[in-house]
PDB file of all heavy atoms in Angstrom:
ATOM      1  N   PHE A 296      27.342  43.879 -91.059  1.00  0.00           N
ATOM      2  CA  PHE A 296      26.841  45.091 -91.709  1.00  0.00           C
ATOM      3  C   PHE A 296      25.471  44.846 -92.341  1.00  0.00           C
ATOM      4  O   PHE A 296      24.563  45.683 -92.230  1.00  0.00           O
ATOM      5  CB  PHE A 296      27.855  45.541 -92.756  1.00  0.00           C
ATOM      6  CG  PHE A 296      27.619  46.923 -93.282  1.00  0.00           C
ATOM      7  CD1 PHE A 296      27.719  48.019 -92.454  1.00  0.00           C
ATOM      8  CD2 PHE A 296      27.312  47.124 -94.615  1.00  0.00           C
ATOM      9  CE1 PHE A 296      27.509  49.299 -92.934  1.00  0.00           C
ATOM     10  CE2 PHE A 296      27.103  48.390 -95.103  1.00  0.00           C
ATOM     11  CZ  PHE A 296      27.203  49.489 -94.260  1.00  0.00           C
ATOM     12  N   PHE A 300      20.691  46.105 -91.956  1.00  0.00           N
ATOM     13  CA  PHE A 300      19.716  46.440 -92.992  1.00  0.00           C
ATOM     14  C   PHE A 300      18.619  45.391 -93.135  1.00  0.00           C
ATOM     15  O   PHE A 300      17.525  45.714 -93.616  1.00  0.00           O
ATOM     16  CB  PHE A 300      20.424  46.596 -94.352  1.00  0.00           C
ATOM     17  CG  PHE A 300      21.451  47.684 -94.371  1.00  0.00           C
ATOM     18  CD1 PHE A 300      22.791  47.390 -94.201  1.00  0.00           C
ATOM     19  CD2 PHE A 300      21.088  49.000 -94.548  1.00  0.00           C
ATOM     20  CE1 PHE A 300      23.737  48.383 -94.230  1.00  0.00           C
ATOM     21  CE2 PHE A 300      22.032  50.009 -94.567  1.00  0.00           C
ATOM     22  CZ  PHE A 300      23.357  49.693 -94.401  1.00  0.00           C
ATOM     23  N   MET A 342      18.827  54.297 -84.553  1.00  0.00           N
ATOM     24  CA  MET A 342      18.947  54.506 -85.987  1.00  0.00           C
ATOM     25  C   MET A 342      17.932  55.519 -86.495  1.00  0.00           C
ATOM     26  O   MET A 342      18.253  56.393 -87.318  1.00  0.00           O
ATOM     27  CB  MET A 342      18.786  53.166 -86.716  1.00  0.00           C
ATOM     28  CG  MET A 342      19.907  52.176 -86.480  1.00  0.00           C
ATOM     29  SD  MET A 342      21.490  52.700 -87.172  1.00  0.00           S
ATOM     30  CE  MET A 342      21.115  52.581 -88.924  1.00  0.00           C
ATOM     31  N   TYR A 346      19.039  59.115 -87.963  1.00  0.00           N
ATOM     32  CA  TYR A 346      18.739  59.385 -89.373  1.00  0.00           C
ATOM     33  C   TYR A 346      17.967  60.697 -89.524  1.00  0.00           C
ATOM     34  O   TYR A 346      18.223  61.476 -90.454  1.00  0.00           O
ATOM     35  CB  TYR A 346      17.930  58.229 -89.963  1.00  0.00           C
ATOM     36  CG  TYR A 346      17.540  58.457 -91.410  1.00  0.00           C
ATOM     37  CD1 TYR A 346      18.473  58.301 -92.431  1.00  0.00           C
ATOM     38  CD2 TYR A 346      16.248  58.841 -91.752  1.00  0.00           C
ATOM     39  CE1 TYR A 346      18.127  58.517 -93.755  1.00  0.00           C
ATOM     40  CE2 TYR A 346      15.891  59.054 -93.070  1.00  0.00           C
ATOM     41  CZ  TYR A 346      16.831  58.893 -94.056  1.00  0.00           C
ATOM     42  OH  TYR A 346      16.490  59.116 -95.374  1.00  0.00           O
ATOM     43  N   MET A 349      20.491  63.369 -89.156  1.00  0.00           N
ATOM     44  CA  MET A 349      21.368  63.475 -90.326  1.00  0.00           C
ATOM     45  C   MET A 349      20.707  64.246 -91.466  1.00  0.00           C
ATOM     46  O   MET A 349      21.402  64.757 -92.355  1.00  0.00           O
ATOM     47  CB  MET A 349      21.758  62.078 -90.810  1.00  0.00           C
ATOM     48  CG  MET A 349      22.722  61.350 -89.910  1.00  0.00           C
ATOM     49  SD  MET A 349      24.407  61.961 -89.991  1.00  0.00           S
ATOM     50  CE  MET A 349      24.867  61.438 -91.637  1.00  0.00           C
ATOM     51  N   TYR A 354      25.241  67.733 -97.223  1.00  0.00           N
ATOM     52  CA  TYR A 354      26.427  67.083 -97.784  1.00  0.00           C
ATOM     53  C   TYR A 354      27.092  67.973 -98.826  1.00  0.00           C
ATOM     54  O   TYR A 354      28.329  68.043 -98.909  1.00  0.00           O
ATOM     55  CB  TYR A 354      26.036  65.741 -98.406  1.00  0.00           C
ATOM     56  CG  TYR A 354      27.201  64.917 -98.892  1.00  0.00           C
ATOM     57  CD1 TYR A 354      27.840  64.023 -98.051  1.00  0.00           C
ATOM     58  CD2 TYR A 354      27.674  65.041-100.197  1.00  0.00           C
ATOM     59  CE1 TYR A 354      28.910  63.266 -98.483  1.00  0.00           C
ATOM     60  CE2 TYR A 354      28.748  64.289-100.649  1.00  0.00           C
ATOM     61  CZ  TYR A 354      29.362  63.396 -99.783  1.00  0.00           C
ATOM     62  OH  TYR A 354      30.423  62.661-100.210  1.00  0.00           O
ATOM     63  N   HIS A 425      29.774  60.012 -84.691  1.00  0.00           N
ATOM     64  CA  HIS A 425      30.627  59.086 -85.442  1.00  0.00           C
ATOM     65  C   HIS A 425      30.202  59.035 -86.913  1.00  0.00           C
ATOM     66  O   HIS A 425      31.051  58.949 -87.811  1.00  0.00           O
ATOM     67  CB  HIS A 425      30.547  57.695 -84.820  1.00  0.00           C
ATOM     68  CG  HIS A 425      31.701  56.820 -85.193  1.00  0.00           C
ATOM     69  ND1 HIS A 425      31.883  55.555 -84.672  1.00  0.00           N
ATOM     70  CD2 HIS A 425      32.730  57.010 -86.050  1.00  0.00           C
ATOM     71  CE1 HIS A 425      32.973  55.025 -85.192  1.00  0.00           C
ATOM     72  NE2 HIS A 425      33.503  55.882 -86.038  1.00  0.00           N
ATOM     73  N   ALA A 426      28.912  59.095 -87.183  1.00  0.00           N
ATOM     74  CA  ALA A 426      28.444  59.121 -88.565  1.00  0.00           C
ATOM     75  C   ALA A 426      28.898  60.404 -89.269  1.00  0.00           C
ATOM     76  O   ALA A 426      29.296  60.372 -90.448  1.00  0.00           O
ATOM     77  CB  ALA A 426      26.927  58.997 -88.608  1.00  0.00           C
ATOM     78  N   ILE A 427      28.871  61.539 -88.563  1.00  0.00           N
ATOM     79  CA  ILE A 427      29.352  62.798 -89.147  1.00  0.00           C
ATOM     80  C   ILE A 427      30.842  62.697 -89.458  1.00  0.00           C
ATOM     81  O   ILE A 427      31.317  63.151 -90.516  1.00  0.00           O
ATOM     82  CB  ILE A 427      29.072  63.972 -88.192  1.00  0.00           C
ATOM     83  CG1 ILE A 427      27.574  64.193 -88.055  1.00  0.00           C
ATOM     84  CG2 ILE A 427      29.741  65.252 -88.701  1.00  0.00           C
ATOM     85  CD1 ILE A 427      26.882  64.613 -89.333  1.00  0.00           C
ATOM     86  N   LEU A 428      31.594  62.099 -88.551  1.00  0.00           N
ATOM     87  CA  LEU A 428      33.037  61.950 -88.775  1.00  0.00           C
ATOM     88  C   LEU A 428      33.316  61.095 -90.005  1.00  0.00           C
ATOM     89  O   LEU A 428      34.182  61.433 -90.827  1.00  0.00           O
ATOM     90  CB  LEU A 428      33.673  61.339 -87.533  1.00  0.00           C
ATOM     91  CG  LEU A 428      35.197  61.252 -87.477  1.00  0.00           C
ATOM     92  CD1 LEU A 428      35.676  61.503 -86.059  1.00  0.00           C
ATOM     93  CD2 LEU A 428      35.694  59.872 -87.924  1.00  0.00           C
ATOM     94  N   ILE A 429      32.590  60.001 -90.160  1.00  0.00           N
ATOM     95  CA  ILE A 429      32.793  59.151 -91.333  1.00  0.00           C
ATOM     96  C   ILE A 429      32.349  59.878 -92.596  1.00  0.00           C
ATOM     97  O   ILE A 429      32.947  59.713 -93.677  1.00  0.00           O
ATOM     98  CB  ILE A 429      32.039  57.824 -91.164  1.00  0.00           C
ATOM     99  CG1 ILE A 429      32.545  57.075 -89.935  1.00  0.00           C
ATOM    100  CG2 ILE A 429      32.210  56.937 -92.393  1.00  0.00           C
ATOM    101  CD1 ILE A 429      31.768  55.810 -89.630  1.00  0.00           C
ATOM    102  N   MET A 430      31.325  60.715 -92.501  1.00  0.00           N
ATOM    103  CA  MET A 430      30.894  61.497 -93.653  1.00  0.00           C
ATOM    104  C   MET A 430      31.983  62.478 -94.096  1.00  0.00           C
ATOM    105  O   MET A 430      32.222  62.653 -95.300  1.00  0.00           O
ATOM    106  CB  MET A 430      29.615  62.257 -93.322  1.00  0.00           C
ATOM    107  CG  MET A 430      29.136  63.167 -94.436  1.00  0.00           C
ATOM    108  SD  MET A 430      27.668  64.112 -94.022  1.00  0.00           S
ATOM    109  CE  MET A 430      26.416  62.833 -94.199  1.00  0.00           C
ATOM    110  N   VAL A 431      32.655  63.103 -93.141  1.00  0.00           N
ATOM    111  CA  VAL A 431      33.756  64.003 -93.498  1.00  0.00           C
ATOM    112  C   VAL A 431      34.889  63.218 -94.150  1.00  0.00           C
ATOM    113  O   VAL A 431      35.525  63.689 -95.108  1.00  0.00           O
ATOM    114  CB  VAL A 431      34.245  64.755 -92.241  1.00  0.00           C
ATOM    115  CG1 VAL A 431      35.425  65.652 -92.577  1.00  0.00           C
ATOM    116  CG2 VAL A 431      33.121  65.596 -91.664  1.00  0.00           C
ATOM    117  N   GLN A 432      35.163  62.000 -93.654  1.00  0.00           N
ATOM    118  CA  GLN A 432      36.173  61.151 -94.300  1.00  0.00           C
ATOM    119  C   GLN A 432      35.793  60.839 -95.741  1.00  0.00           C
ATOM    120  O   GLN A 432      36.626  60.942 -96.655  1.00  0.00           O
ATOM    121  CB  GLN A 432      36.323  59.846 -93.516  1.00  0.00           C
ATOM    122  CG  GLN A 432      37.262  59.910 -92.338  1.00  0.00           C
ATOM    123  CD  GLN A 432      37.470  58.534 -91.728  1.00  0.00           C
ATOM    124  OE1 GLN A 432      36.531  57.898 -91.244  1.00  0.00           O
ATOM    125  NE2 GLN A 432      38.690  58.061 -91.730  1.00  0.00           N
ATOM    126  N   ALA A 433      34.540  60.447 -95.952  1.00  0.00           N
ATOM    127  CA  ALA A 433      34.088  60.133 -97.308  1.00  0.00           C
ATOM    128  C   ALA A 433      34.133  61.365 -98.202  1.00  0.00           C
ATOM    129  O   ALA A 433      34.492  61.266 -99.384  1.00  0.00           O
ATOM    130  CB  ALA A 433      32.679  59.559 -97.264  1.00  0.00           C
ATOM    131  N   THR A 434      33.789  62.519 -97.662  1.00  0.00           N
ATOM    132  CA  THR A 434      33.824  63.751 -98.460  1.00  0.00           C
ATOM    133  C   THR A 434      35.250  64.115 -98.841  1.00  0.00           C
ATOM    134  O   THR A 434      35.517  64.530 -99.982  1.00  0.00           O
ATOM    135  CB  THR A 434      33.176  64.899 -97.663  1.00  0.00           C
ATOM    136  OG1 THR A 434      31.878  64.506 -97.231  1.00  0.00           O
ATOM    137  CG2 THR A 434      33.061  66.141 -98.520  1.00  0.00           C
ATOM    138  N   ILE A 488      33.547  50.531 -97.991  1.00  0.00           N
ATOM    139  CA  ILE A 488      32.269  51.242 -97.881  1.00  0.00           C
ATOM    140  C   ILE A 488      32.446  52.714 -98.251  1.00  0.00           C
ATOM    141  O   ILE A 488      31.584  53.314 -98.918  1.00  0.00           O
ATOM    142  CB  ILE A 488      31.691  51.098 -96.469  1.00  0.00           C
ATOM    143  CG1 ILE A 488      31.486  49.619 -96.135  1.00  0.00           C
ATOM    144  CG2 ILE A 488      30.366  51.842 -96.353  1.00  0.00           C
ATOM    145  CD1 ILE A 488      30.536  48.905 -97.052  1.00  0.00           C
ATOM    146  N   LEU A 489      33.556  53.322 -97.861  1.00  0.00           N
ATOM    147  CA  LEU A 489      33.812  54.712 -98.235  1.00  0.00           C
ATOM    148  C   LEU A 489      33.957  54.858 -99.747  1.00  0.00           C
ATOM    149  O   LEU A 489      33.455  55.832-100.335  1.00  0.00           O
ATOM    150  CB  LEU A 489      35.071  55.225 -97.533  1.00  0.00           C
ATOM    151  CG  LEU A 489      35.004  55.379 -96.013  1.00  0.00           C
ATOM    152  CD1 LEU A 489      36.330  55.891 -95.470  1.00  0.00           C
ATOM    153  CD2 LEU A 489      33.878  56.320 -95.615  1.00  0.00           C
ATOM    154  N   ILE A 492      30.537  54.787-101.229  1.00  0.00           N
ATOM    155  CA  ILE A 492      29.851  56.073-101.053  1.00  0.00           C
ATOM    156  C   ILE A 492      30.367  57.101-102.049  1.00  0.00           C
ATOM    157  O   ILE A 492      29.587  57.864-102.644  1.00  0.00           O
ATOM    158  CB  ILE A 492      30.033  56.561 -99.602  1.00  0.00           C
ATOM    159  CG1 ILE A 492      29.285  55.632 -98.642  1.00  0.00           C
ATOM    160  CG2 ILE A 492      29.561  57.999 -99.436  1.00  0.00           C
ATOM    161  CD1 ILE A 492      29.529  55.938 -97.178  1.00  0.00           C
ATOM    162  N   PRO A 579      28.914  48.785 -86.706  1.00  0.00           N
ATOM    163  CA  PRO A 579      28.204  48.959 -87.983  1.00  0.00           C
ATOM    164  C   PRO A 579      27.170  50.076 -87.980  1.00  0.00           C
ATOM    165  O   PRO A 579      26.799  50.544 -89.060  1.00  0.00           O
ATOM    166  CB  PRO A 579      27.546  47.595 -88.196  1.00  0.00           C
ATOM    167  CG  PRO A 579      27.372  47.037 -86.829  1.00  0.00           C
ATOM    168  CD  PRO A 579      28.502  47.547 -86.004  1.00  0.00           C
ATOM    169  N   LEU A 580      26.690  50.517 -86.812  1.00  0.00           N
ATOM    170  CA  LEU A 580      25.583  51.476 -86.799  1.00  0.00           C
ATOM    171  C   LEU A 580      25.931  52.809 -87.460  1.00  0.00           C
ATOM    172  O   LEU A 580      25.179  53.286 -88.324  1.00  0.00           O
ATOM    173  CB  LEU A 580      25.113  51.697 -85.357  1.00  0.00           C
ATOM    174  CG  LEU A 580      24.455  50.507 -84.660  1.00  0.00           C
ATOM    175  CD1 LEU A 580      23.985  50.895 -83.260  1.00  0.00           C
ATOM    176  CD2 LEU A 580      23.292  49.973 -85.465  1.00  0.00           C
ATOM    177  N   PRO A 581      27.051  53.488 -87.122  1.00  0.00           N
ATOM    178  CA  PRO A 581      27.342  54.762 -87.790  1.00  0.00           C
ATOM    179  C   PRO A 581      27.577  54.617 -89.288  1.00  0.00           C
ATOM    180  O   PRO A 581      27.101  55.450 -90.079  1.00  0.00           O
ATOM    181  CB  PRO A 581      28.605  55.261 -87.074  1.00  0.00           C
ATOM    182  CG  PRO A 581      28.637  54.539 -85.780  1.00  0.00           C
ATOM    183  CD  PRO A 581      28.028  53.199 -86.061  1.00  0.00           C
ATOM    184  N   LEU A 582      28.298  53.576 -89.683  1.00  0.00           N
ATOM    185  CA  LEU A 582      28.574  53.384 -91.103  1.00  0.00           C
ATOM    186  C   LEU A 582      27.300  53.049 -91.876  1.00  0.00           C
ATOM    187  O   LEU A 582      27.081  53.550 -92.991  1.00  0.00           O
ATOM    188  CB  LEU A 582      29.604  52.267 -91.269  1.00  0.00           C
ATOM    189  CG  LEU A 582      30.298  52.153 -92.626  1.00  0.00           C
ATOM    190  CD1 LEU A 582      31.042  53.431 -92.953  1.00  0.00           C
ATOM    191  CD2 LEU A 582      31.258  50.973 -92.631  1.00  0.00           C
ATOM    192  N   ALA A 583      26.436  52.220 -91.302  1.00  0.00           N
ATOM    193  CA  ALA A 583      25.163  51.903 -91.952  1.00  0.00           C
ATOM    194  C   ALA A 583      24.267  53.141 -92.035  1.00  0.00           C
ATOM    195  O   ALA A 583      23.572  53.354 -93.041  1.00  0.00           O
ATOM    196  CB  ALA A 583      24.450  50.784 -91.185  1.00  0.00           C
ATOM    197  N   LEU A 584      24.288  53.950 -90.991  1.00  0.00           N
ATOM    198  CA  LEU A 584      23.491  55.182 -90.998  1.00  0.00           C
ATOM    199  C   LEU A 584      23.940  56.113 -92.118  1.00  0.00           C
ATOM    200  O   LEU A 584      23.106  56.695 -92.835  1.00  0.00           O
ATOM    201  CB  LEU A 584      23.626  55.870 -89.640  1.00  0.00           C
ATOM    202  CG  LEU A 584      22.888  57.193 -89.460  1.00  0.00           C
ATOM    203  CD1 LEU A 584      21.388  56.981 -89.528  1.00  0.00           C
ATOM    204  CD2 LEU A 584      23.283  57.847 -88.143  1.00  0.00           C
ATOM    205  N   LEU A 585      25.239  56.277 -92.300  1.00  0.00           N
ATOM    206  CA  LEU A 585      25.746  57.129 -93.372  1.00  0.00           C
ATOM    207  C   LEU A 585      25.390  56.576 -94.743  1.00  0.00           C
ATOM    208  O   LEU A 585      25.002  57.334 -95.653  1.00  0.00           O
ATOM    209  CB  LEU A 585      27.261  57.282 -93.235  1.00  0.00           C
ATOM    210  CG  LEU A 585      27.955  58.088 -94.326  1.00  0.00           C
ATOM    211  CD1 LEU A 585      27.430  59.521 -94.360  1.00  0.00           C
ATOM    212  CD2 LEU A 585      29.469  58.078 -94.122  1.00  0.00           C
ATOM    213  N   LEU A 586      25.493  55.258 -94.920  1.00  0.00           N
ATOM    214  CA  LEU A 586      25.163  54.669 -96.213  1.00  0.00           C
ATOM    215  C   LEU A 586      23.677  54.844 -96.534  1.00  0.00           C
ATOM    216  O   LEU A 586      23.308  55.134 -97.684  1.00  0.00           O
ATOM    217  CB  LEU A 586      25.545  53.190 -96.222  1.00  0.00           C
ATOM    218  CG  LEU A 586      25.389  52.459 -97.562  1.00  0.00           C
ATOM    219  CD1 LEU A 586      26.238  53.119 -98.633  1.00  0.00           C
ATOM    220  CD2 LEU A 586      25.762  50.993 -97.428  1.00  0.00           C
ATOM    221  N   ILE A 587      22.824  54.689 -95.532  1.00  0.00           N
ATOM    222  CA  ILE A 587      21.391  54.912 -95.748  1.00  0.00           C
ATOM    223  C   ILE A 587      21.135  56.365 -96.135  1.00  0.00           C
ATOM    224  O   ILE A 587      20.344  56.661 -97.040  1.00  0.00           O
ATOM    225  CB  ILE A 587      20.601  54.539 -94.482  1.00  0.00           C
ATOM    226  CG1 ILE A 587      20.690  53.030 -94.225  1.00  0.00           C
ATOM    227  CG2 ILE A 587      19.138  54.949 -94.603  1.00  0.00           C
ATOM    228  CD1 ILE A 587      20.072  52.596 -92.919  1.00  0.00           C
ATOM    229  N   ARG A 588      21.823  57.290 -95.475  1.00  0.00           N
ATOM    230  CA  ARG A 588      21.656  58.713 -95.784  1.00  0.00           C
ATOM    231  C   ARG A 588      22.094  59.020 -97.208  1.00  0.00           C
ATOM    232  O   ARG A 588      21.411  59.770 -97.941  1.00  0.00           O
ATOM    233  CB  ARG A 588      22.472  59.530 -94.773  1.00  0.00           C
ATOM    234  CG  ARG A 588      22.608  61.000 -95.074  1.00  0.00           C
ATOM    235  CD  ARG A 588      21.310  61.739 -94.860  1.00  0.00           C
ATOM    236  NE  ARG A 588      21.499  63.167 -94.974  1.00  0.00           N
ATOM    237  CZ  ARG A 588      21.566  63.854 -96.106  1.00  0.00           C
ATOM    238  NH1 ARG A 588      21.453  63.219 -97.266  1.00  0.00           N
ATOM    239  NH2 ARG A 588      21.737  65.162 -96.099  1.00  0.00           N
ATOM    240  N   VAL A 589      23.194  58.463 -97.651  1.00  0.00           N
ATOM    241  CA  VAL A 589      23.692  58.731 -99.004  1.00  0.00           C
ATOM    242  C   VAL A 589      22.792  58.095-100.052  1.00  0.00           C
ATOM    243  O   VAL A 589      22.475  58.711-101.081  1.00  0.00           O
ATOM    244  CB  VAL A 589      25.147  58.223 -99.129  1.00  0.00           C
ATOM    245  CG1 VAL A 589      25.620  58.290-100.581  1.00  0.00           C
ATOM    246  CG2 VAL A 589      26.076  59.027 -98.242  1.00  0.00           C
ATOM    247  N   VAL A 590      22.344  56.863 -99.804  1.00  0.00           N
ATOM    248  CA  VAL A 590      21.499  56.176-100.796  1.00  0.00           C
ATOM    249  C   VAL A 590      20.150  56.877-100.931  1.00  0.00           C
ATOM    250  O   VAL A 590      19.651  57.096-102.047  1.00  0.00           O
ATOM    251  CB  VAL A 590      21.321  54.698-100.391  1.00  0.00           C
ATOM    252  CG1 VAL A 590      20.264  54.029-101.258  1.00  0.00           C
ATOM    253  CG2 VAL A 590      22.646  53.953-100.526  1.00  0.00           C
ATOM    254  N   THR A 591      19.547  57.259 -99.824  1.00  0.00           N
ATOM    255  CA  THR A 591      18.235  57.919 -99.894  1.00  0.00           C
ATOM    256  C   THR A 591      18.319  59.300-100.545  1.00  0.00           C
ATOM    257  O   THR A 591      17.356  59.759-101.176  1.00  0.00           O
ATOM    258  CB  THR A 591      17.635  58.058 -98.499  1.00  0.00           C
ATOM    259  OG1 THR A 591      18.592  58.690 -97.629  1.00  0.00           O
ATOM    260  CG2 THR A 591      17.269  56.690 -97.944  1.00  0.00           C
ATOM    261  N   SER A 592      19.459  59.983-100.395  1.00  0.00           N
ATOM    262  CA  SER A 592      19.610  61.284-101.043  1.00  0.00           C
ATOM    263  C   SER A 592      20.046  61.174-102.496  1.00  0.00           C
ATOM    264  O   SER A 592      19.849  62.113-103.275  1.00  0.00           O
ATOM    265  CB  SER A 592      20.634  62.127-100.277  1.00  0.00           C
ATOM    266  OG  SER A 592      21.905  61.503-100.275  1.00  0.00           O
TER     267      SER A 592
END
Side-chain angles (χ1 to χ4, degrees):
F296 193 64
F300 299 98
M342 293 293 292
Y346 178 76
M349 288 286 291
Y354 186 89
H425 200 175
I427 294 296
L428 187 144
I429 300 175
M430 176 182 283
V431 178
Q432 276 187 298
T434 307
I488 301 299
L489 293 180
I492 293 174
L580 293 183
L582 196 60
L584 179 65
L585 177 61
L586 186 59
I587 293 174
R588 170 72 172 81
V589 171
V590 170
T591 52
S592 61

